[in-house]
Amino acid sequence: MPIKASTPSSVLLVCLGNICRSPTAEEIFRQQAAIAGLSMKVDSAGTGDWHIGHAPDERAQRHAKAHGYNINKLVARQVSADDFRDFDLILAMDAQNLADLQSIKNGITNTDKKLAKLALFSEEDPTYGGDDVPDPYTGDGDAFEEVIERIESSAQAWIESWKI
Ligand code: 4NP
């Protein structure tokens, strides 16, 4: 597939806990990128520190698996300033995550290396553009299904945006 020169070679997906939305997005993005023939580093992290070292939430694992996404080996970590030097593009699942990431980015003073571009995960999505991927943590099964539906749509939109 011919792709734009501006296509990132690394993408970091970020939510609050890194146990529900962003690990799901990591696997969906990885699979969609592979199908599109894009060679890209894909990872995920959380703005919070409560779940560092934990596997994804069991409900997220179960719903992801039902759609063909195996996330049970992923391990939660917290986003850091280094991520802005290590990734080309950092995508926030919701507006609060975006604000928290922007303040980390604003605090980076030593900027000899180009810092990651920051955007909302839904930004390119013709269906869900500008929306949050809603936090499913206190929700029911439908909330986890909605997360998958929105992530599949918005990940596809990013990949489409990189095609020539
Ligand atoms: P996530 O969901 O940000 O999609 O991983 C959450 C997971 C944990 C918490 C909140 C949201 N928490 O408050 O512990």
Side-chain angles (χ1 to χ4, degrees), residues 64-84:
K65 194 173 175 196
H67 290 266
Y69 306 112
N70 184 348
I71 62 170
N72 60 6
K73 295 278 192 325
L74 300 181
V75 179
R77 72 173 181 89
Q78 188 175 26
V79 70
S80 73
D82 279 341
D83 287 315
F84 284 86

Side-chain angles (χ1 to χ4, degrees), residues 38-96:
L38 284 173
S39 160
M40 190 172 275
K41 176 171 86 169
V42 183
D43 194 10
S44 66
T47 57
D49 63 1
W50 313 285
H51 299 286
I52 293 172
H54 296 180
D57 185 286
E58 282 186 13
R59 297 163 297 170
Q61 289 190 38
R62 196 168 62 245
H63 285 272
K65 194 173 175 196
H67 290 266
Y69 306 112
N70 184 348
I71 62 170
N72 60 6
K73 295 278 192 325
L74 300 181
V75 179
R77 72 173 181 89
Q78 188 175 26
V79 70
S80 73
D82 279 341
D83 287 315
F84 284 86
R85 301 183 189 93
D86 294 344
F87 288 85
D88 294 337
L89 179 64
I90 299 182
L91 297 176
M93 291 294 134
D94 65 33
Q96 183 61 54

Side-chain angles (χ1 to χ4, degrees), residues 5 9-11 21 23-24 37 40 52 74 76 88 91-92 98 104 109 123 129 137 143-145 150 160:
S9 55
S10 53
V11 180
R21 291 166 293 175
T24 303
M40 190 172 275
I52 293 172
L74 300 181
D88 294 337
L91 297 176
L98 184 64
I104 295 171
T109 47
E123 186 176 288
Y137 192 61
F144 282 85
E145 286 298 306
R150 285 174 176 265
E160 287 299 320

Side-chain angles (χ1 to χ4, degrees), residues 118-147:
L118 190 53
L120 198 58
F121 185 67
S122 67
E123 186 176 288
E124 293 288 332
D125 193 326
T127 309
Y128 298 114
D131 289 2
D132 291 347
V133 177
D135 182 348
Y137 192 61
T138 56
D140 57 12
D142 286 350
F144 282 85
E145 286 298 306
E146 186 180 357
V147 162

